[in-house]
Amino acid sequence: MNDRRPPNGQEVRAAAARNLVPVITAKGSLANLDEGQVGSRDRGLLRELCYGVCRTQPRLEALASRLLKHPFKRRDADIQALLLVGIYQLLYLRVPAHAAVGETSGAARLLGKEWATRVLNGCLRRLQREAPRLQDEVDKDPCVALMHPAWLLKALRQAWPDDWRAIATANNVPGPMTLRINRRYGDREAYLARLYEVHQPARLCLHSPDGLTLEAPCDVYQLPGFAEGHVSVQDEAAQLAAELLGPVLAPRPGARVLDACCAPGGKAAHLLEVFDLALTGIDSDAKRLSRVESTLERLKLDATLRHADAAEDDWWDGTPFDAILLDAPCSGSGVIRRHPDIKALRRPEDIPQLAQLQARLLDALWAKLAPGGTLLYATCSVLPEENADQIQAFLARTPNVEVTTPTDVAWGRPAGAGRQLLPEEESHDGFFYARLRKAMAVA
């Protein structure tokens, strides 16, 4: 009996194209990646194809336009995505060229568009023959060579005239897998030894006392004690929130703490692991809030979670908080290496809209902070409009604010009243922190 199922290679490439259509048409993100379209052994390749195409999309699109006589129609965005998948394999993966061309072209049949097999085959074979010349031509455009949209590259250059090229380069390299050990089960040196026992070498993070970075990423369930809550995945820059709140919370057992935009829960969990406190976490996204519940359950931690908008008052019982963490919604411009679809989905008009939302959150939450309390403002952005400029505007309109952002730390650089980390290829993501204290009321 003949097996008429299509080869796995075609299935995974067709699945990649389907998952990429929402991104290249600016209608969805890789957060909705459907790995169920392929078998378990092909899911690694599916993720590599989808994330890799998003990471290199400006360059792939430029090459695709040189290879096509006429652009595809809008209804054929899946074939456009398939062409990008093919180009990515030929230029960036160690996939045999015959497989990259043949399996990608054949995948068009699984999308119900057999006519496209010849078009794709012709484009990819031409790229095989002319790759050096075509790449030299398109790379004359810095937006193509650095694989960023023009508006974002301009914004980076204006904000960081000496660093913009290094930021863009770091954005194009997948971020390392960094872990946060749970101090309740031991220190990171002991966990480092456990990793070596299972042949997962790692190094200590420079700035976070709870951080370890793996030399190579792995499935989380290959990590010793992951299911039992001994360790979590969290970038080093994100781990610094607990360090910054430490001087405020360590001497105050049972402090009332609010994590105002708590999903997916990494910072809230870190605070609960390290300090004795009563934490309330709120988030406006119910689906993401469920992820916080799952995280706390795995780590055996307790917090009060509420589905609410932090900019409103209807969720608050009127009792001020001793400390507030505002990990504000932002452009994500500091974590592009982990979320490369940001380059395709974010628009320049988003930045002032996000800045307005951040200002609303700052004002609303400051009113809920007790005198003498501390608010830690954080974003995973590298754009001043969301960071240094945002805090400067807040200080200008708000009385009785004391800036307590540390200046003697070894990480980041001064950025107004805050501290800015820029993404580094082998280390942390891009993050901004500003620590603000509400002055005690004057009698």
Side-chain angles (χ1 to χ4, degrees), residues 193-216:
R194 294 177 68 185
L195 287 173
Y196 274 90
E197 288 175 1
V198 295
H199 308 292
Q200 290 285 356
R203 64 181 184 275
L204 302 179
C205 289
L206 291 176
H207 309 304
S208 169
D210 298 323
L212 295 165
T213 297
L214 297 178
E215 288 189 7

Side-chain angles (χ1 to χ4, degrees), residues 17 28 46 51 54 61 107 119 125 131 139 144 198 204 207 272 279 282 287 289 292 299 313 328 337 350 387 401-402:
L46 175 64
Y51 278 81
C54 288
E61 294 277 12
V119 178
R125 290 196 180 281
D139 285 345
V144 172
V198 295
L204 302 179
H207 309 304
L272 288 165
L279 187 137
I282 63 174
K287 185 175 180 180
L289 194 62
V292 183
L299 296 169
D313 295 330
R337 61 185 188 168
D350 295 339
N387 296 339
V401 184
E402 298 176 4

Side-chain angles (χ1 to χ4, degrees), residues 334-345:
V335 292
I336 287 174
R337 61 185 188 168
R338 301 192 189 279
H339 305 282
D341 49 350
I342 287 173
K343 292 190 289 188
L345 301 176

